Amino acid sequence: MSQQNSLWAKECLKRYGHYGEVKELNEVLYYYHLEPVSNAIAGLALERMKQQSENSGVQWTELDYAENLTPDYKDDPFCQSLWCQLEDKPIGTITPEDWICELEPKFHQYIHRSHDTVLNPPYKTLIETLVNSFTTDKETGEKPERRIWDNE
């Protein structure tokens, strides 16, 4: 198994420029190449929430806010450029058409798919399932279903 891992890791670095690994489950080998994902895009949501809260009267300590923005967002030219395009749009008017063309070519670099580990058998552990699992319908337990939880 370590030989397959070593060979696949080299192949992934050569072919994709990032790491890969081989996992085994029930005598089946699964080959993965692991794509790096930036969390920088979350900064866009934070910036918009800041705008919305300011419209509702929240006063921010600008220096503290600026110092606590994550470096992956602050230093990301793509996200900064996208924010410049979106920041002047009135609250409630941003639609996918406003950002999809810019994001689509970079989709795999910015969109984190937290459920991936639960969907790929060798990675599906109890901890991964508890942390990253998605909810399913109550009737069959097979169809993904969004549930909204509240604190009441």
Side-chain angles (χ1 to χ4, degrees):
M1 177 73 153
S2 66
Q3 183 181 3
Q4 285 95 340
N5 244 328
S6 178
L7 290 171
W8 183 242
K10 289 176 186 170
E11 177 67 21
C12 285
L13 278 172
K14 181 178 158 187
R15 188 185 305 183
Y16 305 110
H18 49 260
Y19 295 97
E21 74 178 337
V22 180
K23 292 276 197 174
E24 185 265 330
L25 180 69
N26 299 328
E27 299 181 15
V28 175
L29 295 179
Y30 294 85
Y31 289 78
Y32 296 96
H33 69 93
L34 308 172
E35 298 184 60
V37 177
S38 169
N39 287 324
I41 204 160
L44 295 172
L46 178 63
E47 296 277 30
R48 195 59 168 187
M49 286 188 287
K50 179 178 181 268
Q51 277 185 333
Q52 291 173 332
S53 66
E54 287 172 333
N55 284 351
S56 299
V58 173
Q59 295 180 358
W60 290 77
T61 306
E62 287 299 325
L63 183 60
D64 287 342
Y65 177 78
E67 286 177 356
N68 286 288
L69 280 173
T70 59
D72 60 346
Y73 170 68
K74 275 195 307 193
D75 300 335
D76 188 288
F78 169 72
C79 287
Q80 293 300 315
S81 170
L82 188 53
W83 176 242
C84 287
Q85 293 176 39
L86 299 174
E87 70 178 315
D88 292 329
K89 293 188 76 58
I91 301 298
T93 64
I94 293 177
T95 65
E97 289 77 27
D98 295 319
W99 50 265
I100 196 75
C101 291
E102 285 81 11
L103 184 59
E104 206 160 20
K106 299 174 177 289
F107 185 83
H108 289 291
Q109 296 168 342
Y110 286 94
I111 303 302
H112 172 61
R113 295 174 26 165
S114 58
H115 302 308
D116 274 3
T117 53
V118 183
L119 298 173
N120 291 290
Y123 287 97
K124 186 175 181 170
T125 65
L126 177 60
I127 291 174
E128 284 295 335
T129 301
L130 291 172
V131 172
N132 291 320
S133 189
F134 51 88
T135 54
T136 56
D137 67 300
K138 292 177 182 175
E139 294 80 36
T140 67
E142 294 177 8
K143 293 186 285 187
E145 178 180 270
R146 182 168 186 235
R147 293 197 195 138
I148 299 173
W149 308 93
D150 60 33
N151 291 326
E152 294 180 20

